[in-house]
DNA sequence: AACGGTCTCAACCGCGGATGG
DNA sequence: CCCATCCGCGGTTGAGACCGT
């Protein structure tokens, strides 16, 4: 049994609003407000519309101080940062952009920003002024799934005990030189970050500063069982959950900002708590919640001994920045 | 000019959560 | 607690605008 509709669809007008309807809606709200109840609002205001439709029209279009028109670069930057931190929480993102509605931002993301993000990932030297965290110097030298793959169709844990080369797995073709991001929601567990100087771990992708990208996926592919060997010159491929790659975006972005003297607060404590499973990733990145005040100095043997590794990453960006390594994330959807 | 494909964005839909009786 | 109602959100749709041929 489905949910009861909020109103009788046969008795209300649908589709675009006329200037007369707009005027009625605006006039009534300016005079009386919505009366605390959108459902009964149309009757009171003399509109043959669904209450939800009235609410939407008011909030997204008629309400005062709504900003229409192009987004600024600063707004782009804020959207990128917040999306990286919290995902598609459009209402929260909108709260950081006065005059913009969640619907506006959602549309803008879906039609413009996401495409820019994708094109930046396939363009090794993007000239775009927006953050380009997906820029990958070897992006022309990778394979991708040819078409959208259902998440369940790709499961190396079940299908691939023989460690087949990644290029033979569903959808990959050797000669495919394009990149297309997908999101695979299945493999959150396959990736984590840590700060370590242990380069002997085959499941680590180690930057020169001792920063490690731990991944279990490589267990499943004999030709990718060691990222450290791959980064010495050959391509690496890795499956990542969207949230994970967004985290890397944030890291790279913050490292970027640090190199420019930005007074960033995204430092080691966040990593440590993330990799130790102590905190909520979103809270850590967005700086909210109980993990927002984690001290950055580091404590305990591991973090104390590597307290400067994030700084090292910043200072040795060419060798240290994750996304400049030949480690390409694939997205699945 | 005509046509078809693509893009944009206002509007819709249905769900989850909050609230109050 | 349970249930009904409403609100707010995020995903999706589709009409019209735009663009390339």
């Amino acid at each position: 049994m489905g949910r009861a509709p909020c109103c009788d669809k046969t008795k209300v007008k649908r589709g675009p609003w006329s200037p007369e309807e707009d005027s009625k809606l605006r006039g009534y709200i300016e005079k009386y407000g919505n009366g605390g109840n959108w459902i009964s609002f149309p009757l009171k205001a003399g509109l043959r519309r669904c209450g939800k439709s009235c609410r939407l029209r008011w909030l997204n279009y008629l309400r005062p101080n709504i900003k229409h028109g192009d987004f600024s670069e600063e707004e782009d930057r804020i959207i990128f940062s917040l999306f990286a931190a919290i995902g598609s929480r459009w209402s929260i993102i909108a709260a950081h952009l006065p005059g913009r509605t969640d619907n506006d931002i959602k549309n803008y993301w879906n039609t413009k920003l996401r495409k820019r993000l994708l094109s930046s990932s396939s363009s090794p030297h993007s000239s775009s002024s927006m953050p380009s965290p997906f820029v990958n110097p070897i992006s022309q030298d990778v394979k991708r799934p040819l078409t959208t793959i259902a998440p369940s169709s790709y499961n190396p844990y079940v299908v691939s005990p023989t460690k087949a080369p990644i290029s033979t797995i569903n959808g990959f073709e050797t000669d495919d030189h394009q990149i297309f991001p997908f999101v695979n929601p299945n493999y959150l567990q396959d990736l984590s970050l840590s700060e370590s100087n242990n380069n002997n771990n085959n499941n680590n992708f180690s930057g020169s500063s001792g920063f490690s990208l731990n991944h279990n996926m490589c267990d499943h592919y004999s030709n990718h069982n060691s990222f450290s060997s791959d980064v010495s010159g050959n391509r690496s491929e890795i499956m990542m959950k969207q949230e994970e790659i967004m985290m890397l975006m944030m890291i790279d972005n913050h490292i970027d900002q640090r190199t420019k003297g930005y007074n960033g607060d995204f430092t080691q404590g966040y990593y440590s708590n993330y990799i130790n499973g102590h905190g909520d990733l979103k809270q850590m990145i967005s700086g909210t919640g109980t993990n927002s005040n984690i001290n950055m100095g580091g404590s305990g043997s591991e973090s104390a001994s590597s307290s400067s590794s994030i700084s090292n990453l910043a200072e040795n960006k060419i060798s240290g920045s994750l996304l400049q390594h030949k480690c390409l994330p694939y997205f699945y959807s």
Side-chain angles (χ1 to χ4, degrees):
Chain A
M1 192 178 87
R3 170 178 293 242
C6 62
C7 58
D8 186 346
K9 306 291 182 196
T10 63
K11 291 180 180 168
V12 296
K13 187 182 170 209
R14 302 171 69 181
W17 282 64
S18 69
E20 291 74 26
E21 287 176 310
D22 282 348
S23 164
K24 239 178 194 177
L25 175 59
R26 187 189 287 111
Y28 190 91
I29 288 188
E30 283 172 354
K31 210 166 179 180
Y32 306 107
N34 77 334
N37 186 335
W38 284 109
I39 298 300
S40 60
F41 176 86
L43 194 64
K44 290 186 282 188
L47 285 160
R48 283 186 56 245
R49 288 277 182 174
C50 170
K52 291 180 77 167
S53 178
C54 294
R55 174 184 166 273
L56 208 65
R57 184 65 179 170
W58 173 253
L59 292 178
N60 285 346
Y61 206 82
L62 296 177
R63 144 174 85 99
N65 304 322
I66 290 285
K67 205 190 284 182
H68 296 290
D70 293 345
F71 282 70
S72 67
E73 279 187 19
E74 174 65 8
E75 286 175 313
D76 287 358
R77 195 188 63 76
I78 291 170
I79 294 169
F80 268 108
S81 296
L82 287 170
F83 188 90
I86 61 174
S88 58
R89 310 274 293 277
W90 305 119
S91 59
I92 296 174
I93 295 173
H96 288 79
L97 297 171
R100 300 294 187 183
T101 70
D102 53 353
N103 208 39
D104 266 349
I105 295 167
K106 178 173 55 182
N107 283 330
Y108 184 54
W109 175 269
N110 286 332
T111 59
K112 304 272 179 58
L113 293 185
R114 190 169 58 182
K115 287 175 187 171
R116 263 201 268 165
L117 194 63
L118 301 191
S119 67
S120 77
S121 76
S122 61
S123 169
H125 303 293
S126 170
S127 60
S128 168
S129 60
M130 66 147 206
S132 303
F134 281 137
V135 168
N136 186 311
I138 60 148
S139 59
Q140 298 307 303
D141 185 29
V142 296
K143 313 180 200 79
R144 68 164 173 82
L146 282 178
T147 55
T148 300
I149 300 171
S152 59
S153 72
Y154 181 82
N155 189 343
Y157 295 99
V158 174
V159 178
S160 187
T162 56
K163 301 184 177 182
I166 198 166
S167 57
T168 68
I169 294 168
N170 298 336
F172 288 91
E173 284 193 4
T174 306
D175 295 330
D176 185 357
H177 293 290
Q178 295 178 324
I179 288 181
F180 192 84
F182 291 86
V183 176
N184 185 343
N186 290 339
Y187 301 116
L188 176 62
Q189 74 277 15
D190 284 333
L191 199 76
S192 64
L193 296 168
S194 65
E195 294 180 301
S196 162
N197 292 314
N198 175 13
N199 288 330
N200 295 323
N201 184 342
N202 280 344
N203 274 348
N204 280 352
F205 163 67
S206 296
S208 61
S209 59
F211 188 86
S212 296
L213 177 61
N214 304 315
H215 53 92
N216 298 321
M217 291 299 289
C218 293
D219 279 339
H220 305 282
Y221 307 108
S222 59
N223 63 334
H224 286 86
N225 64 357
S226 169
F227 266 85
S228 52
S229 65
D230 281 338
V231 299
S232 63
N234 298 314
R235 174 179 57 240
S236 295
E237 288 132 334
I238 183 169
M239 305 297 164
M240 298 173 77
K241 187 172 183 290
Q242 183 179 31
E243 207 165 72
E244 302 283 358
I245 190 59
M246 286 302 174
M247 183 177 69
L248 295 189
M249 284 172 56
M250 289 295 289
I251 292 166
D252 235 35
N253 198 33
H254 276 269
I255 289 168
D256 234 357
Q257 290 171 329
R258 285 173 68 97
T259 61
K260 294 170 186 166
Y262 171 77
N263 183 26
D265 58 356
F266 188 93
T267 50
Q268 181 201 345
Y270 290 128
Y271 293 105
S272 296
N273 275 273
Y274 174 60
I275 64 173
N276 291 328
H278 291 164
D280 176 84
L281 172 61
K282 289 173 182 170
Q283 287 183 359
M284 282 186 266
I285 290 178
S286 64
T288 60
T290 54
N291 290 297
S292 61
N293 295 318
I294 295 160
N295 185 359
M296 311 312 157
S299 61
S301 58
E302 182 187 350
S303 54
S305 64
S306 59
S307 61
S308 62
S309 62
I310 303 305
S311 302
N312 288 345
L313 277 175
E315 287 157 15
N316 301 296
K317 192 167 185 302
I318 289 176
S319 61
S321 178
L322 285 170
L323 294 172
Q324 290 197 15
H325 282 289
K326 296 171 180 177
C327 172
L328 178 76
Y330 278 113
F331 288 70
Y332 279 79
S333 62

